[in-house]
Amino acid sequence: MTLRWLHLRLAAPLMAFGDVAIDHVGPTRDFPSASALTGLFGNALGWRRADGAAHQALQDRLVFGALIARAGHLLTDTQNAKLEANDRGWTTWGRPDERAGATYDSPHRRRRDYLADHECRVVLRLLDVPDGPSLDALAQALDRPARPLFLGRKPCLPCARLVGGWVEGANARTALAALGLAGRALWPAEDGGGTRRDVADRRNWRTGLHGGSYPVCEGEIA
């Protein structure tokens, strides 16, 4: 059976597809995660961070593959900030983050990785359910988003229209091949071929924590 897939072009001077973060280090992967795509669509639709059920339902419906059309290079941003006793930090949980302890001599450090001059193509469809946005509604939201869109982190603004059109294919792997581009790609494991591995790309949108891994295959699209 031939299926219809939404084609996305993810290109920007800087982008970040967040990987598993440990301590102050925020790495990036080469391919977008299911949680990153869910967040992108949620932002375009005007959903709030508190709309966990809507985000979760959308993530559970996503079926996608991704291909690196242009491999960028890794750029690491090291941030150091000296926080005084009365300084507060913005948070996403509704109250400011305050320092504890009596010493303020050591700076607050964190490291964030970005992909510079990277371009990734995505083919995507949704599992059919009675409720929730349609694939056409998602495409329209990306063209007329409720809020400014970014690829991974807020400084990462796309440099071109995100919607690249539509392609057809029996599965994500054949839909990627229909783009007519060559490169390293990732697709669901049930499509077969390539090298199978698990990726930790799911988010539990109700708790805001890691939501599990998903089996994928990685290989070359000729």
Side-chain angles (χ1 to χ4, degrees), residues 70-123:
R70 182 179 66 241
H73 62 274
L74 187 68
L75 184 149
T76 298
D77 178 29
T78 301
Q79 303 169 359
N80 298 287
K82 183 180 179 182
L83 302 180
E84 301 296 343
N86 295 324
D87 287 339
R88 296 182 176 186
W90 180 88
T91 69
T92 59
W93 56 81
R95 59 181 176 83
D97 187 22
E98 302 182 38
R99 286 187 57 92
T103 176
Y104 306 97
D105 294 333
S106 298
H108 176 71
R109 303 181 188 274
R110 67 178 187 174
R111 197 186 84 188
R112 295 293 182 266
D113 290 340
Y114 295 85
L115 295 171
D117 298 323
H118 193 74
E119 181 177 339
C120 189
R121 304 297 181 95
V122 173
V123 294

Coordinates of all heavy atoms in Angstrom, one line a residue, residues 70-123:
R70 N 22.9 17.4 4.0 CA 24.2 18.1 4.1 C 24.7 17.9 5.5 O 24.1 18.4 6.4 CB 24.1 19.6 3.7 CG 25.5 20.3 3.7 CD 25.4 21.8 3.3 NE 24.6 22.5 4.3 CZ 23.5 23.2 4.0 NH1 23.1 23.1 2.7 NH2 22.9 23.9 4.9
A71 N 25.9 17.3 5.6 CA 26.4 17.1 7.0 C 27.1 18.3 7.5 O 28.1 18.8 6.8 CB 27.4 15.9 7.0
G72 N 26.7 18.9 8.6 CA 27.3 20.0 9.1 C 28.5 19.6 10.0 O 28.9 18.5 10.0
H73 N 29.0 20.6 10.8 CA 30.1 20.2 11.8 C 29.6 20.6 13.2 O 28.8 21.5 13.4 CB 31.4 21.0 11.4 CG 31.3 22.4 11.4 ND1 30.8 23.2 10.3 CD2 31.6 23.4 12.4 CE1 30.8 24.5 10.6 NE2 31.3 24.6 11.8
L74 N 30.2 20.0 14.1 CA 29.8 20.2 15.5 C 30.4 21.5 16.1 O 31.6 21.8 15.9 CB 30.3 19.0 16.4 CG 29.9 19.0 17.8 CD1 28.4 18.7 17.9 CD2 30.6 17.9 18.6
L75 N 29.6 22.3 16.7 CA 30.1 23.5 17.3 C 29.6 23.4 18.8 O 28.5 23.2 19.1 CB 29.4 24.7 16.7 CG 29.9 26.1 17.1 CD1 29.8 27.1 16.0 CD2 29.0 26.6 18.3
T76 N 30.6 23.7 19.7 CA 30.3 23.6 21.1 C 30.3 25.0 21.8 O 31.3 25.7 21.6 CB 31.3 22.7 21.8 OG1 31.2 21.3 21.3 CG2 31.0 22.6 23.3
D77 N 29.3 25.3 22.4 CA 29.2 26.6 23.1 C 29.4 26.3 24.6 O 28.6 25.6 25.2 CB 27.8 27.2 22.9 CG 27.6 28.5 23.6 OD1 28.6 29.2 23.8 OD2 26.4 28.9 23.9
T78 N 30.4 26.9 25.2 CA 30.7 26.8 26.6 C 30.2 28.1 27.3 O 30.7 29.2 26.9 CB 32.1 26.5 26.9 OG1 32.5 25.3 26.3 CG2 32.4 26.4 28.4
Q79 N 29.3 28.0 28.3 CA 28.8 29.1 28.9 C 29.2 29.2 30.4 O 29.1 28.1 31.1 CB 27.2 29.1 28.8 CG 26.7 29.0 27.4 CD 25.3 28.7 27.3 OE1 24.6 28.6 28.3 NE2 24.8 28.6 26.1
N80 N 29.6 30.3 30.9 CA 30.0 30.5 32.2 C 29.3 31.8 32.8 O 29.4 32.8 32.1 CB 31.5 30.7 32.4 CG 32.3 29.5 31.9 OD1 32.3 28.5 32.6 ND2 32.9 29.6 30.8
A81 N 28.7 31.7 33.9 CA 28.0 32.8 34.5 C 28.2 32.8 36.0 O 28.0 31.8 36.7 CB 26.5 32.7 34.2
K82 N 28.7 33.9 36.5 CA 28.9 34.1 37.9 C 27.5 34.5 38.6 O 27.0 35.6 38.2 CB 29.9 35.1 38.3 CG 30.2 35.2 39.8 CD 31.3 36.2 40.1 CE 31.5 36.3 41.6 NZ 32.6 37.3 41.9
L83 N 27.0 33.7 39.5 CA 25.7 34.0 40.1 C 26.0 34.5 41.5 O 26.7 33.9 42.3 CB 24.9 32.8 40.1 CG 24.5 32.2 38.8 CD1 23.7 30.9 38.9 CD2 23.9 33.2 37.9
E84 N 25.4 35.6 41.8 CA 25.5 36.2 43.2 C 24.4 35.6 44.1 O 23.5 34.9 43.7 CB 25.5 37.7 43.1 CG 26.5 38.4 42.3 CD 27.9 38.1 42.8 OE1 28.1 37.8 44.0 OE2 28.9 38.3 42.0
A85 N 24.5 36.0 45.3 CA 23.6 35.4 46.3 C 22.1 35.7 46.0 O 21.3 34.8 46.2 CB 23.9 36.0 47.7
N86 N 21.8 36.8 45.5 CA 20.4 37.1 45.2 C 19.9 36.9 43.8 O 18.8 37.2 43.4 CB 20.1 38.6 45.6 CG 20.3 38.9 47.0 OD1 20.0 38.0 47.9 ND2 20.8 40.0 47.4
D87 N 20.8 36.3 42.9 CA 20.5 36.0 41.6 C 19.5 34.9 41.5 O 19.6 33.9 42.2 CB 21.7 35.7 40.7 CG 22.5 37.0 40.5 OD1 22.0 38.1 40.6 OD2 23.7 36.8 40.2
R88 N 18.6 35.0 40.5 CA 17.6 33.9 40.3 C 17.6 33.5 38.8 O 17.9 34.3 38.0 CB 16.2 34.4 40.7 CG 16.0 34.7 42.2 CD 14.6 35.1 42.5 NE 14.4 35.3 43.9 CZ 13.3 35.5 44.5 NH1 12.2 35.6 43.7 NH2 13.2 35.7 45.8
G89 N 17.3 32.3 38.6 CA 17.2 31.8 37.2 C 15.8 31.4 36.8 O 15.0 31.0 37.6
W90 N 15.5 31.7 35.5 CA 14.2 31.3 34.9 C 14.1 29.8 34.7 O 15.1 29.2 34.4 CB 14.1 32.0 33.6 CG 12.7 31.7 32.9 CD1 11.6 32.4 33.0 CD2 12.5 30.7 31.9 NE1 10.6 31.9 32.3 CE2 11.1 30.8 31.6 CE3 13.2 29.7 31.4 CZ2 10.5 30.0 30.7 CZ3 12.6 28.8 30.5 CH2 11.3 29.0 30.1
T91 N 12.9 29.3 35.0 CA 12.7 27.8 34.9 C 11.4 27.6 34.2 O 10.6 28.5 33.9 CB 12.6 27.2 36.3 OG1 11.4 27.6 36.9 CG2 13.8 27.5 37.1
T92 N 11.2 26.3 33.9 CA 9.9 26.0 33.2 C 8.9 25.4 34.2 O 7.8 24.9 33.7 CB 10.2 24.9 32.1 OG1 10.9 23.8 32.7 CG2 11.1 25.5 31.0
W93 N 9.2 25.3 35.4 CA 8.3 24.7 36.4 C 7.5 25.7 37.2 O 6.9 25.4 38.2 CB 9.0 23.6 37.2 CG 10.2 24.1 38.0 CD1 10.2 24.8 39.2 CD2 11.5 23.9 37.7 NE1 11.4 25.1 39.6 CE2 12.3 24.6 38.7 CE3 12.2 23.3 36.6 CZ2 13.7 24.6 38.7 CZ3 13.6 23.4 36.6 CH2 14.3 24.0 37.6
G94 N 7.6 27.0 36.8 CA 6.7 27.9 37.4 C 7.2 28.7 38.6 O 6.5 29.6 39.2
R95 N 8.5 28.5 39.0 CA 9.1 29.3 40.1 C 10.5 29.5 39.8 O 11.2 28.7 39.1 CB 8.9 28.6 41.4 CG 9.5 27.3 41.5 CD 9.2 26.7 42.9 NE 9.7 25.3 43.0 CZ 11.0 25.0 43.3 NH1 11.9 25.9 43.4 NH2 11.3 23.7 43.4
P96 N 11.1 30.6 40.2 CA 12.5 30.9 39.9 C 13.5 29.9 40.7 O 13.1 29.5 41.7 CB 12.7 32.3 40.3 CG 11.7 32.6 41.3 CD 10.5 31.7 40.9
D97 N 14.6 29.7 40.1 CA 15.6 28.8 40.7 C 16.6 29.7 41.4 O 17.2 30.6 40.8 CB 16.3 28.0 39.6 CG 17.3 27.0 40.1 OD1 17.1 26.6 41.3 OD2 18.2 26.5 39.4
E98 N 16.7 29.4 42.7 CA 17.6 30.2 43.5 C 18.8 29.4 44.0 O 18.8 28.2 44.1 CB 16.9 30.7 44.8 CG 15.6 31.6 44.4 CD 14.9 32.1 45.7 OE1 15.6 32.4 46.6 OE2 13.7 32.1 45.7
R99 N 19.9 30.1 44.2 CA 21.1 29.5 44.7 C 21.0 29.1 46.1 O 20.3 29.7 46.9 CB 22.3 30.4 44.5 CG 22.8 30.5 43.0 CD 24.1 31.3 43.0 NE 25.1 30.6 43.8 CZ 26.0 29.7 43.3 NH1 25.9 29.4 42.0 NH2 26.9 29.2 44.0
A100 N 21.7 28.0 46.4 CA 21.7 27.5 47.8 C 23.2 27.5 48.2 O 24.1 27.3 47.4 CB 21.1 26.1 48.0
G101 N 23.5 27.6 49.5 CA 24.9 27.6 50.0 C 25.4 29.0 50.2 O 24.8 30.0 49.8
A102 N 26.6 29.1 50.8 CA 27.1 30.4 51.2 C 28.2 30.9 50.3 O 28.7 32.0 50.5 CB 27.6 30.3 52.7
T103 N 28.7 30.1 49.4 CA 29.8 30.5 48.5 C 29.3 30.8 47.1 O 28.5 30.0 46.6 CB 30.9 29.5 48.5 OG1 32.0 29.9 47.6 CG2 30.4 28.1 48.1
Y104 N 29.9 31.8 46.5 CA 29.5 32.2 45.2 C 30.7 32.5 44.3 O 30.7 33.2 43.3 CB 28.6 33.5 45.2 CG 27.4 33.3 46.1 CD1 27.5 33.8 47.4 CD2 26.3 32.6 45.7 CE1 26.4 33.6 48.3 CE2 25.2 32.5 46.6 CZ 25.3 32.9 47.9 OH 24.3 32.8 48.7
D105 N 31.9 31.9 44.7 CA 33.1 32.1 44.0 C 33.2 31.3 42.6 O 33.8 31.8 41.7 CB 34.3 31.7 44.8 CG 34.4 32.6 46.1 OD1 34.0 33.8 46.0 OD2 35.0 32.2 47.1
S106 N 32.5 30.2 42.6 CA 32.6 29.4 41.4 C 31.5 29.7 40.4 O 30.3 29.9 40.8 CB 32.5 27.9 41.8 OG 33.5 27.5 42.6
P107 N 31.8 29.8 39.1 CA 30.7 30.2 38.1 C 29.8 29.0 37.9 O 30.2 27.9 38.1 CB 31.5 30.6 36.9 CG 32.8 29.8 37.0 CD 33.1 29.7 38.5
H108 N 28.6 29.4 37.3 CA 27.7 28.3 36.9 C 28.1 28.0 35.4 O 28.2 28.9 34.6 CB 26.3 28.9 36.9 CG 25.3 28.0 36.3 ND1 24.8 26.8 37.0 CD2 24.5 28.1 35.2 CE1 23.9 26.2 36.2 NE2 23.7 27.0 35.1
R109 N 28.4 26.7 35.2 CA 28.9 26.3 33.9 C 27.9 25.4 33.2 O 27.3 24.6 33.8 CB 30.2 25.6 34.0 CG 31.3 26.4 34.7 CD 32.6 25.6 34.8 NE 33.6 26.2 35.6 CZ 34.5 27.2 35.1 NH1 34.4 27.5 33.8 NH2 35.4 27.7 35.9
R110 N 27.9 25.5 31.9 CA 27.1 24.5 31.1 C 27.7 24.5 29.7 O 28.2 25.5 29.2 CB 25.6 24.7 31.1 CG 25.1 26.0 30.4 CD 23.6 26.0 30.4 NE 23.1 27.1 29.6 CZ 21.8 27.2 29.4 NH1 20.9 26.4 30.0 NH2 21.3 28.2 28.7
R111 N 27.5 23.4 29.0 CA 28.0 23.2 27.6 C 26.9 22.7 26.7 O 26.1 21.8 27.1 CB 29.1 22.1 27.6 CG 30.0 22.2 26.4 CD 31.0 21.0 26.4 NE 30.4 19.8 25.9 CZ 31.0 18.6 25.9 NH1 32.2 18.5 26.5 NH2 30.4 17.5 25.4
R112 N 26.8 23.4 25.6 CA 25.7 23.0 24.6 C 26.3 22.8 23.3 O 27.1 23.6 22.7 CB 24.7 24.1 24.6 CG 23.9 24.4 25.9 CD 23.0 23.2 26.2 NE 22.2 23.3 27.4 CZ 22.6 22.9 28.6 NH1 23.7 22.3 28.7 NH2 21.8 23.1 29.6
D113 N 26.0 21.6 22.7 CA 26.5 21.3 21.3 C 25.5 21.7 20.3 O 24.3 21.5 20.5 CB 26.8 19.8 21.2 CG 28.0 19.4 22.0 OD1 28.8 20.3 22.3 OD2 28.2 18.2 22.3
Y114 N 26.0 22.2 19.1 CA 25.1 22.5 18.0 C 25.7 21.9 16.7 O 26.8 21.6 16.6 CB 25.1 24.0 17.8 CG 24.4 24.8 18.9 CD1 25.2 25.2 20.1 CD2 23.1 25.2 18.9 CE1 24.6 25.9 21.1 CE2 22.5 25.9 19.9 CZ 23.3 26.3 21.0 OH 22.7 27.0 22.1
L115 N 24.8 21.8 15.7 CA 25.2 21.4 14.4 C 25.2 22.7 13.5 O 24.2 23.3 13.4 CB 24.3 20.4 13.8 CG 24.2 19.0 14.5 CD1 23.1 18.2 13.9 CD2 25.6 18.3 14.3
A116 N 26.4 23.0 13.0 CA 26.5 24.2 12.1 C 26.4 23.8 10.7 O 27.0 22.9 10.2 CB 27.8 24.9 12.4
D117 N 25.6 24.6 9.9 CA 25.4 24.4 8.5 C 25.0 22.9 8.1 O 25.4 22.3 7.2 CB 26.7 24.7 7.7 CG 27.1 26.2 7.9 OD1 26.1 27.0 7.9 OD2 28.3 26.5 8.0
H118 N 24.1 22.4 8.9 CA 23.5 21.1 8.8 C 22.2 21.2 8.1 O 21.4 22.1 8.3 CB 23.4 20.5 10.2 CG 23.1 19.0 10.2 ND1 24.1 18.1 9.9 CD2 22.0 18.3 10.5 CE1 23.6 16.8 10.0 NE2 22.3 16.9 10.4
E119 N 21.9 20.2 7.3 CA 20.6 20.1 6.6 C 20.1 18.7 6.7 O 20.8 17.7 6.3 CB 20.6 20.6 5.2 CG 19.2 20.5 4.5 CD 19.2 21.0 3.1 OE1 20.2 21.8 2.7 OE2 18.3 20.7 2.3
C120 N 18.9 18.5 7.2 CA 18.3 17.2 7.4 C 16.9 17.2 6.7 O 16.1 18.2 6.9 CB 18.2 16.9 8.8 SG 17.7 15.2 9.2
R121 N 16.5 16.1 6.0 CA 15.2 16.0 5.4 C 14.5 14.9 6.2 O 15.0 13.9 6.7 CB 15.3 15.6 4.0 CG 16.1 16.5 3.1 CD 15.5 17.9 3.0 NE 16.3 18.8 2.2 CZ 16.0 19.0 0.9 NH1 15.0 18.3 0.3 NH2 16.8 19.8 0.2
V122 N 13.2 15.2 6.4 CA 12.3 14.3 7.2 C 11.1 13.9 6.3 O 10.5 14.8 5.7 CB 11.9 14.9 8.5 CG1 10.8 14.1 9.2 CG2 13.1 15.2 9.4
V123 N 10.7 12.7 6.3 CA 9.4 12.2 5.8 C 8.6 11.7 7.0 O 9.1 11.0 7.8 CB 9.6 11.2 4.7 CG1 10.3 11.7 3.5 CG2 10.3 9.9 5.2

